[in-house]
Amino acid sequence: MMNKKGLKETWKQIIIVMAGNILQMLSKLIVWLVIPKLLGVEEYGYYKIFTLYLTYAAFLHFGFPDGILLLFAGKQYLEVNRGKFKTFSQFFIAFQCTVSICIVFLGITVLNAEAKFLLIVLGIDSFFINVATYYKFISQAVMRFHELTIRNIIQAVFQVISLCLLYILLKINIHISGGKIYILFIVAIDGILCIWYMVTYSALTFGRGEKLSDCIHGIINIFKNGILLTIAYQLSHLIFVLDSQMVSVLFNINIYSVYAFAYSVINFITIAINAMAIVLFPNLKRLDKENAIEKFEKLMAYVTGISSFLLLGYFPINLIVRTFLTEYNESIYYLRIILPGFVVTCCINMIIFTYYKILNHINIFVCISMGMLALGLVLNCAGYFWIAPKPEVFSVLSILILICWYLVSELYLVKRYHIGWKKNCIYMLMLINVFYCVVEVLEDSIIFAGGIYLILYILITALFYGKSFLRVWKAGKV
């Protein structure tokens, strides 16, 4: 990764993963435009509650896939001990099957019909998702990124097919909730992807592996290393969606549906840049500590620049919602507040968190994140009771919490490893403020506002990084 050939290979890997992500993004764009219209506000809210709680399914694997990623990242596929991995795979599948059965049984005992349905499908889907995550992290660890791309392509195709089927079923007026139908389609897609991964990695799954008793120490070590990483991932997610979680609890389903729609937009945009995070971790882990640290400032500049550019997505999205999804117009108000948080979150999740992993400071990251989550809960409760019981109060506070999280987590690395940070931080905060000012002042002329933001983005980027880009261009390096 340090030499020119290595850099080209890393960017090639990023492009491969990004190709699949773009196709997935296009399918999600179709879903994002069609599903709210097909389901209506109430049914869409029911569907978003399912997806909200599905994100917590990662707790149910207790860190095993994360441990695999952490311990084997940067290794070649041929270096993997197949006999041992067969035992790992068979153990984990049996373990997840047991957990899933327990959740389904719990769902069966619940009296409320809506809660019963949600628990049962969550139990089933958690099995598919966690087992697929296990294989996904194997792909990421051994850098077989083409498999991630194929998976995203398959998922994109099935999402479009499921939309067509949902449209047909709703048109023939079958007497069942549209939200429930689409949730079942999601479970079916996750099941197909899980089976596809198992077949792809059949050499690491089926057949006789090593004795379980011989692998028990390795399994415990995987759990031990992975559980802390899982907690870190989930804390990161909780901090990012804390405002959405508060809205789901404190307001009715229609308000939550509109608010959750804004987060669907952010998730859609995130797909475009997520490829960088997937590729960076195993590549950086192959480097020695000094070389990896040397890359920090440059990588942070890349991510900040790209994610700030993607804020331009707000302007066409605004037009689309106001034209085709008028019942979700209010979500634009929330979106323009929370969207800049996407830039901060990208910097944290894609660069800062990656460095905490490769430098073995996950426990520090967990402590910082727990502190930020506690701060977020206090501020959100204070905002609701002492400022105003309105969703937009949570939106504003979420941005403040994300910025605090960014500063505290980065400053720890800065202090310990003397990493340059001020330039990137000022650049990010300046563009966030430019976005807010442009949107606020030119709200009624959204196309003109988009043009102004683009011009200012180019000028500020040139001011901060113009000389660096020229040096890179002249040197013929990335």
Side-chain angles (χ1 to χ4, degrees):
M1 190 173 171
M2 283 301 295
N3 56 36
K4 188 175 179 179
K5 184 179 178 181
L7 284 168
K8 285 185 176 179
E9 182 62 27
T10 301
W11 280 107
K12 181 181 176 182
Q13 292 167 349
I14 290 173
I15 291 168
I16 288 171
V17 178
M18 193 172 286
N21 283 6
I22 289 171
L23 286 174
Q24 190 180 29
M25 186 173 70
L26 291 174
S27 71
K28 282 188 177 293
L29 175 61
I30 297 171
V31 170
W32 175 67
L33 288 171
V34 175
I35 281 295
K37 201 76 174 177
L38 280 179
L39 297 182
V41 173
E42 186 172 344
E43 286 293 318
Y44 181 72
Y46 185 72
Y47 154 70
K48 290 303 294 183
I49 287 175
F50 166 76
T51 57
L52 176 67
Y53 287 101
L54 187 61
T55 58
Y56 300 119
F59 278 121
L60 301 175
H61 62 52
F62 296 96
F64 197 84
D66 293 313
I68 291 288
L69 178 60
L70 202 60
L71 294 172
F72 294 93
K75 293 187 180 295
Q76 296 296 325
Y77 182 64
L78 294 177
E79 297 174 15
V80 171
N81 184 324
R82 296 195 176 190
K84 186 169 289 187
F85 256 86
K86 284 180 182 179
T87 304
F88 290 162
S89 300
Q90 291 165 13
F91 163 79
F92 184 66
I93 290 169
F95 172 61
Q96 285 302 296
C97 186
T98 304
V99 173
S100 180
I101 289 171
C102 291
I103 296 172
V104 171
F105 179 76
L106 178 65
I108 292 171
T109 62
V110 172
L111 296 178
N112 182 280
E114 302 298 330
K116 183 191 292 287
F117 174 81
L118 281 176
L119 273 172
I120 291 173
V121 293
L122 283 169
I124 296 170
D125 208 21
S126 67
F127 171 83
F128 294 143
I129 286 177
N130 287 337
V131 172
T133 298
Y134 166 76
Y135 290 110
K136 177 183 175 181
F137 282 6
I138 291 175
S139 292
Q140 187 178 342
V142 300
M143 296 181 290
R144 294 179 59 161
F145 298 111
H146 62 282
E147 286 163 4
L148 298 176
T149 300
I150 294 170
R151 175 191 179 278
N152 287 337
I153 292 170
I154 294 171
Q155 188 173 19
V157 170
F158 278 115
Q159 281 178 334
V160 174
I161 292 172
S162 68
L163 276 181
C164 295
L165 291 174
L166 177 64
Y167 176 78
I168 293 169
L169 290 172
L170 292 178
K171 279 296 180 182
I172 61 177
N173 293 319
I174 63 169
H175 299 292
I176 188 172
S177 158
K180 287 183 178 179
I181 295 173
Y182 193 62
I183 288 169
L184 291 174
F185 283 152
I186 291 173
V187 175
I189 292 170
D190 289 339
I192 291 169
L193 291 172
C194 178
I195 293 168
W196 176 82
Y197 260 131
M198 291 174 71
V199 172
T200 301
Y201 283 99
S202 58
L204 303 182
T205 305
F206 303 111
R208 180 175 293 180
E210 295 185 7
K211 291 182 179 179
L212 182 61
S213 57
D214 294 337
C215 296
I216 198 70
H217 177 73
I219 290 171
I220 292 171
N221 193 41
I222 291 169
F223 274 120
K224 184 180 176 180
N225 281 273
I227 190 63
L228 203 59
L229 188 56
T230 299
I231 293 169
Y233 278 128
Q234 292 304 313
L235 283 171
S236 298
H237 174 76
L238 278 172
I239 294 169
F240 184 55
V241 301
L242 181 60
D243 54 325
S244 182
Q245 189 78 66
M246 298 287 284
V247 173
S248 73
V249 173
L250 297 171
F251 297 89
N252 63 50
I253 195 167
N254 290 332
I255 293 175
Y256 172 70
S257 177
V258 173
Y259 196 88
F261 183 82
Y263 267 97
S264 296
V265 174
I266 296 176
N267 292 335
F268 163 71
I269 298 173
T270 302
I271 295 171
I273 196 173
N274 193 46
M276 188 173 288
I278 292 171
V279 172
L280 278 179
F281 176 59
N283 276 285
L284 284 171
K285 199 169 183 217
R286 297 174 71 182
L287 298 177
D288 59 78
K289 185 181 292 187
E290 289 74 20
N291 286 336
I293 291 169
E294 186 182 304
K295 292 287 183 184
F296 180 90
E297 189 174 1
K298 184 183 288 186
L299 290 170
M300 184 67 85
Y302 283 142
V303 170
T304 308
I306 294 169
S307 57
S308 298
F309 176 79
L310 290 174
L311 292 181
L312 280 165
Y314 168 82
F315 303 100
I317 287 167
N318 187 306
L319 286 174
I320 291 169
V321 172
R322 293 186 186 280
T323 304
F324 299 105
L325 299 167
T326 53
E327 62 268 42
Y328 293 91
N329 278 345
E330 192 177 351
S331 67
I332 291 297
Y333 176 63
Y334 303 131
L335 180 63
R336 72 179 184 177
I337 300 173
I338 62 177
L339 184 58
F342 158 78
V343 179
V344 187
T345 305
C346 284
C347 292
I348 296 170
N349 288 342
M350 296 184 185
I351 303 299
I352 294 174
F353 186 27
T354 296
Y355 271 82
Y356 273 90
K357 287 188 287 185
I358 65 172
L359 296 172
N360 296 318
H361 295 312
I362 299 173
N363 56 333
I364 302 296
F365 187 82
V366 167
C367 292
I368 292 170
S369 299
M370 287 178 69
M372 290 300 113
L373 182 60
L375 176 64
L377 287 168
V378 171
L379 289 179
N380 276 298
C381 291
Y384 181 80
F385 290 108
W386 294 330
I387 299 176
K390 296 179 179 179
E392 54 265 37
V393 172
F394 298 140
S395 302
V396 173
L397 291 172
S398 72
I399 299 299
L400 296 176
I401 294 161
L402 287 174
I403 292 173
C404 288
W405 188 27
Y406 167 87
L407 291 172
V408 174
S409 57
E410 185 173 40
L411 286 174
Y412 174 82
L413 296 177
V414 169
K415 184 177 180 180
R416 185 164 182 130
Y417 297 104
H418 310 290
I419 296 169
W421 67 282
K422 290 181 182 179
K423 186 177 180 179
N424 286 327
C425 183
I426 294 169
Y427 172 74
M428 179 189 72
L429 294 175
M430 186 177 290
L431 282 174
I432 287 175
N433 280 289
V434 165
F435 176 84
Y436 281 134
C437 291
V438 168
V439 170
E440 183 66 29
V441 174
L442 301 173
E443 182 185 3
D444 297 328
S445 305
I446 202 66
I447 297 176
F448 182 63
I452 294 296
Y453 177 78
L454 177 59
I455 292 169
L456 292 173
Y457 168 83
I458 293 170
L459 291 174
I460 293 170
T461 303
L463 176 66
F464 275 78
Y465 301 110
K467 291 182 180 179
S468 300
F469 288 153
L470 285 174
R471 283 198 302 269
V472 169
W473 181 266
K474 289 177 181 178
K477 298 176 182 178
V478 178

